[in-house]
Amino acid sequence: MAQLSPEETKALILEAFDTLFNKRDYAKAAQFWSPDYIQHSAHIPPGRDGLFGLVRAAPPSLRYENHLILAEGEHAMLHGRFSGHAGPRPWLAADRLRLEDGLLAEHWDVLADEPTQAESVSGLPAIGNTFANPDQPPTAGLTASSLTVEEAQKITAPLYDALNQPARKNVSALLAQATLPDYRSYHTNGEYLSRDQLAAEFKDIGASVPDLRWTVQHIQVFRDQIVVRGEATGTPTGEFWGAGPTGKAFKTMAIDVFTVRNGKLASAYHVENWMTALQQIRM
C-alpha cells in the first residue's frame, strides 16, 4: 500500500478517534485499527479488543477533543483532551501512533489530570484557552458521586443470584438484569467471555457443582467501579476443572472488579482461587 501523505495520515487518525471515542461505532472503528494492534499504554488493556473494551465500559459522555496533530511518515503525535470519563478532571493526553498499511498499528501515551488555574505555576492553561474547573462534577451516569454500597449490592445481586445453584436458575435472565448486552467478563487481562458465553459457563459449573453457593463477603465502590470479595463453596458431583468428584467440598475466595455504565455492569475482571478448591477436593 502506498504511504499516506502527512495530511492523509492526520485525517485518518482524527476520523478514527472520532469514530471510536465520540461516536462509539465499533464496527467502523475496526476498519481503522489493525487486528494486530500493539498497546504500550499503562492505562489500557492490550490489543484492539482491550482498547475497544475500555471504551465500551466508559460512560456514554466520554469525548475526545484534539488540539494538535503532527504526522511524519508512518508516525503521528497528538495532543488532546478526554472528558466525560466520570473522573473529577478531564485528562490531557499525548498520544504517539504508528501506522502500518493504512491502519493504526501501535500506540504509546502519557495521561495527566488537567490542572486548574490555582495549580498552574505558569499562570497559563495546559491546553486550549481555559482552565479545568476544580469543582467539575462527574459526568452523566451512575458514578462516584451517586454510587453507594447499597446501590452496588442491588446492581450486582442478580449476577450473584445466578451463581447460587445455577442449574436451577434462569441464568440468562438474571445476567440480563445485572449487565449490559455488550458485557465482557475478563478472565485474563485480554481474554473475556460475552454475556451469553458467561451464562453457558455458569450453567456448566452448576451442572458439576449442584450445591454451588456464592456469597458476598465485602463490597467497596470507587468512582464507577465495584470491587467484590466473595466466597464460593460446593461439593462437585461431576468433573470440575479437570478433577473427578471425590465427595469432598471446597471453600475458596474470589475477587471481582466491575465497571458500571448507565446503572448496569459493563465489564468485570475476576480472579477465583480454583487451585485451592481443587486441592481441597483432592485431599
Side-chain angles (χ1 to χ4, degrees):
M1 181 176 177
Q3 183 169 304
L4 300 176
S5 69
E7 292 307 312
E8 289 172 329
T9 296
K10 289 188 282 188
L12 182 148
I13 292 172
L14 291 178
E15 184 179 1
F17 272 47
D18 184 56
T19 299
L20 178 61
F21 297 109
N22 299 335
K23 296 178 179 176
R24 302 292 184 92
D25 187 338
Y26 301 104
K28 185 176 179 181
Q31 301 174 19
F32 294 101
W33 269 268
S34 169
D36 302 317
Y37 182 65
I38 301 170
Q39 180 66 264
H40 293 269
S41 173
H43 317 283
I44 307 172
R48 185 174 71 181
D49 286 346
L51 172 62
F52 285 19
L54 182 76
V55 178
R56 281 188 173 96
S61 51
L62 177 70
R63 291 292 180 272
Y64 175 74
E65 173 189 1
N66 181 260
H67 282 254
L68 178 68
I69 180 170
L70 304 172
E72 181 177 345
E74 295 182 334
H75 295 271
M77 293 287 294
L78 295 85
H79 185 215
R81 174 195 283 121
F82 285 96
S83 59
H85 51 72
R89 303 279 188 86
W91 290 332
L92 302 185
D95 294 280
R96 173 189 166 194
L97 290 162
R98 180 180 66 83
L99 277 70
E100 186 175 295
D101 296 329
L103 296 174
L104 279 63
E106 197 165 5
H107 172 256
W108 300 256
D109 70 6
V110 177
L111 292 176
D113 288 339
E114 184 174 358
T116 64
Q117 186 169 8
E119 295 167 338
S120 175
V121 176
S122 71
L124 297 173
I127 193 168
N129 299 314
T130 59
F131 286 95
N133 181 352
D135 299 317
Q136 179 181 348
T139 54
L142 195 56
T143 60
S145 62
S146 59
L147 184 61
T148 65
V149 170
E150 290 73 21
E151 288 167 333
Q153 290 171 333
K154 184 176 179 180
I155 292 169
T156 57
L159 184 145
Y160 289 110
D161 187 14
L163 276 168
N164 280 277
Q165 299 183 320
R168 299 184 178 183
K169 304 286 180 65
N170 186 338
V171 172
S172 295
L174 288 167
L175 289 182
Q177 289 180 38
T179 67
L180 294 170
D182 59 353
Y183 180 72
R184 294 188 175 193
S185 178
Y186 287 88
H187 49 275
T188 72
N189 282 327
E191 298 174 315
Y192 64 88
L193 297 179
S194 68
R195 188 168 75 181
D196 289 343
Q197 291 171 326
L198 185 64
E201 182 170 279
F202 280 13
K203 291 176 183 177
D204 287 343
I205 296 175
S208 297
V209 190
D211 65 342
L212 179 67
R213 180 169 176 75
W214 212 286
T215 58
V216 173
Q217 303 293 314
H218 181 70
I219 289 185
Q220 187 171 356
V221 296
F222 177 74
R223 297 187 186 278
D224 60 346
Q225 293 189 318
I226 302 170
V227 180
V228 179
R229 176 171 57 84
E231 183 175 84
T233 61
T235 306
T237 60
E239 185 176 293
F240 181 65
W241 301 120
T246 63
K248 296 180 178 180
F250 66 81
K251 178 188 290 186
T252 193
M253 186 177 72
I255 300 293
D256 299 305
V257 182
F258 299 102
T259 298
V260 175
R261 187 174 82 239
N262 296 335
K264 286 196 172 186
L265 303 176
S267 66
Y269 287 84
H270 59 92
V271 177
E272 297 84 28
N273 191 2
W274 292 128
M275 184 62 67
T276 293
L278 291 173
Q279 289 172 348
Q280 290 169 358
I281 63 177
R282 287 170 172 167
M283 289 175 61

